[in-house]
Amino acid sequence: MLLLRLSGMNEMDKLLVSGGKRLEGEIYVSGAKNAALPILAATILADHPVILSNMPHLHDVTTTMDLLCRMGVIITIDEDMNIEIDSTSITNYYAPYELVKTMRASILVLGPLLGKYGKATVSLPGGCAIGTRPVDLHINALKKMGAKIDISKGYINADVNGRLQGVTIDFPIVTVTGTENVIMAAVLAEGKTIIHNAALEPEVVDLANFLNTIGANIVGAGTNTIEIEGVNSLTGGEYKILPDRVEAGTYLVAAAITGGSIKLTNALPRIMTAVLDKLRLANADIVCGDDWIELNMHGNRPKAVNIETSPYPGFPTDMQAQLLALNVVSEGRAIIQENVFENRFMHVQEMVRMGADIKINGNQAISNGVEQLYGAPVMATDLRASASLILAALIAKGTTQVDRIYHVDRGYERIEEKLSQLGAEIKRVHG
Ligand code: UD1
């Protein structure tokens, strides 16, 4: 058994950012966290080893590997950092609270464990900094497929007599990991499962493509109706994880907010249309190829842009905080409306401490662009909020200390190295 630990990662780490440098250069975008996590969970279903490449080195990935290893999965890493996963040695079907509390996406093991082994005990994820985030839709769908599920002492205890059954699931709202859990539960189920109002996110498509590579029969991923014809077993195989559109978007904003220019490689503009359109409206000059994006702000101050978040292909909630950071230093007034999560404005008060002019009105953040932000000690509260504070710090006068950056390590690979590579003055201090 091999357990990975990210070196240098510490709960007390802080980032010190001295703002005012115009960012310029080239960045390689890492593999997508939100594709890597369900695909790692889906390896539970494979009857032979799976080799995954373009796997991002993130704390959430390490946590998922830790979870799989505790179940008995064997993970090895080759010299090119490809990850080989052998799930044939699973001996327990348990996701403990101590891991689930650090990463809600641990719920993604529920569907595949039930689909393959007919049983699972998974800690119920608690609340979250951005909202209550229940998992009722996952549970109801799995029950409809024949699972017996009871919740006691904070755990979801699930089992099924024989195989799960293919059924029709109508999600009342779009849920990304809910759709993924049902897909993973359905690939080895008896008969056909049809998901209506499925999530269209590219990461859902990546999961389906991976599962089809190892022998599943899934059609319609990327549309709102997905059909999964159950098969008796899956093989193994090799798969390359999709590039991360949120990491890519965050670096585009980093360049835009400083008036700079950037080229992203291993980036897929075709899955980033909503974000690229808004950055163009903010006055960024953007040129794209199939797998690269160039943004040039030509030293100009951006224009503030109105945004409403919604499921894909709408503007992603995971880019909302970063665009607010851009708006607060841009020319003009703008409204950002958060429609996906009920409490995703925790970064606002921290930005206000840096001199931003933002008012919250229900699910809207209304900003009036200021000429200058000022460095201050600020605290990260969730993954994308932390990224937005780092972005604000890049343009602030003086030094900003961003605390609790373990949140950022969950989802951004070597953020301080990548930003330094673009000319930012940023350093990690170990607490
Ligand atoms: C995923 C992403 C996250 C992103 C979010 C929305 C992963 C690992 N995480 O999270 O980065 O911000 O999609 O794009 O892919 N809901 C319920 N009941 C449920 C499930 C969801 O009420 O059983 C609600 C949520 O509270 C939220 C909305 O549905 O208001 C959408 O959430 P969902 O798409 O499920 O988010 P996640 O899959 O958790």
Side-chain angles (χ1 to χ4, degrees), residues 21-24 418-426:
K21 295 273 179 322
R22 184 169 290 175
L23 300 195
E24 271 165 14
K418 287 191 176 183
L419 285 172
S420 301
Q421 201 177 313
L422 297 172
E425 221 176 285
I426 178 168

Side-chain angles (χ1 to χ4, degrees), residues 80-129:
D80 297 321
M81 295 307 283
N82 297 321
I83 308 225
E84 182 176 317
I85 301 173
D86 182 352
S87 296
T88 54
S89 47
I90 289 185
T91 48
N92 82 68
Y93 318 99
Y94 176 60
Y97 176 65
E98 65 183 279
L99 290 183
V100 178
K101 75 175 181 197
T102 66
M103 190 190 67
R104 302 177 53 81
S106 310
I107 190 74
L108 286 166
V109 299
L110 183 59
L113 282 176
L114 265 178
K116 176 96 185 266
Y117 297 102
K119 54 188 158 190
T121 300
V122 177
S123 170
L124 199 58
C128 166

Side-chain angles (χ1 to χ4, degrees), residues 244-267:
D244 197 313
R245 63 195 165 104
V246 182
E247 189 201 23
T250 303
Y251 286 108
L252 291 177
V253 175
I257 207 169
T258 61
S261 68
I262 190 171
K263 178 171 186 180
L264 298 178
T265 57
N266 192 40

Side-chain angles (χ1 to χ4, degrees), residues 8 99 128 147 158 162 181-183 195-196 243 245 280 301 321 339 356 376 379 387:
L99 290 183
C128 166
N181 243 334
V182 173
I183 291 175
I195 308 175
H196 291 304
R245 63 195 165 104
R280 284 192 176 103
R301 184 179 180 200
N339 294 328
M379 195 171 76

